[in-house]
Amino acid sequence: MCEASDLNRLPIFRFHPNAYDLDIFEVLDGVCEACEMPRAMRYKSSFYAMEDVEYICPWCIADGTAARVFDGEFSDAAGIEAIPEGTSFSVEVYEAESLEVATCTPSYVSWQQEEWRSHCGRPCAFLGDIGANDLPQYLTEPDFAADVNGGLGWDPASILNDLERGGDFAGYLFRCLSCGAHRLHVDAC
């Protein structure tokens, strides 16, 4: 149905560099509902649209076709920024990049709704899940420490002790594309 070469030329997502490693795509022959082309890979994470869409290929995510055809978003553009109190970075986030995250970047799997972090006035890249054992290597970074220490509205002791990769109390790691600083999002079922 599809050419095997499809999987050798997958699009790259600058705000989600590990997208193909994080179980949000599956190799499955089908027809993309956005471009109506036979494809070999299907997106299986969040897509917010009025229509229920079953098969979206990564190419239609990357070029914005899926968002445009179905008037949808992969992440809430208005919710890109969540700022911990007492941090040093800007409240304003570059609008064009926020729209790129919302309409041309696959989301990630979380319990409630994904929240995309930002830093240096632009959306960060989503790196993957993070647990309590992973936190110490980032706690020397002021903005990451602010996220952990109450900036996200969660009890810091719970984050430091109970955060679990892919668990019921889950953490999500982001990295600033400008300066390399890390940010955290926490969610629970």
Side-chain angles (χ1 to χ4, degrees):
M1 178 179 201
C2 325
E3 293 182 30
S5 65
D6 268 359
L7 298 179
N8 293 325
R9 51 183 183 85
L10 293 169
I12 295 169
F13 302 100
R14 71 179 173 144
F15 292 107
H16 202 316
N18 303 320
Y20 302 109
D21 301 328
L22 298 175
D23 200 32
I24 60 170
F25 288 100
E26 66 180 339
V27 176
L28 177 70
D29 284 342
V31 175
C32 176
E33 294 173 50
C35 65
E36 300 179 354
M37 300 275 299
R39 295 297 192 179
M41 185 171 280
R42 177 179 82 102
Y43 175 67
K44 60 180 194 171
S45 190
S46 303
F47 182 61
Y48 304 100
M50 294 300 288
E51 236 177 289
D52 189 25
V53 184
E54 296 296 320
Y55 198 112
I56 299 173
C57 71
W59 298 273
C60 284
I61 295 171
D63 69 9
T65 298
R68 191 172 45 260
V69 166
F70 299 108
D71 192 26
E73 292 185 335
F74 296 94
S75 298
D76 181 10
I80 299 272
E81 179 60 270
I83 302 169
E85 292 180 29
T87 59
S88 59
F89 51 91
S90 170
V91 173
E92 294 181 29
V93 178
Y94 186 53
E95 185 178 355
E97 289 184 334
S98 293
L99 287 173
E100 180 180 341
V101 168
T103 62
C104 301
T105 303
S107 193
Y108 62 96
V109 178
S110 71
W111 285 109
Q112 307 305 319
Q113 182 174 350
E114 309 80 6
E115 290 184 19
W116 213 276
R117 294 292 179 238
S118 69
H119 197 270
C120 293
R122 58 191 305 213
C124 292
F126 174 69
L127 300 181
D129 294 345
I130 186 171
N133 293 339
D134 305 309
L135 298 177
Q137 65 186 319
Y138 304 108
L139 288 173
T140 58
E141 299 178 27
D143 297 324
F144 188 89
D147 286 340
V148 171
N149 293 321
L152 301 176
W154 295 92
D155 175 47
S158 293
I159 292 174
L160 291 168
N161 297 313
D162 304 326
L163 201 63
E164 188 179 356
R165 284 177 177 251
D168 290 345
F169 186 52
Y172 309 95
L173 182 64
F174 293 82
R175 182 184 66 236
C176 179
L177 293 177
S178 293
C179 75
H182 292 86
R183 296 289 314 277
L184 176 69
H185 169 58
V186 174
D187 201 3
C189 66

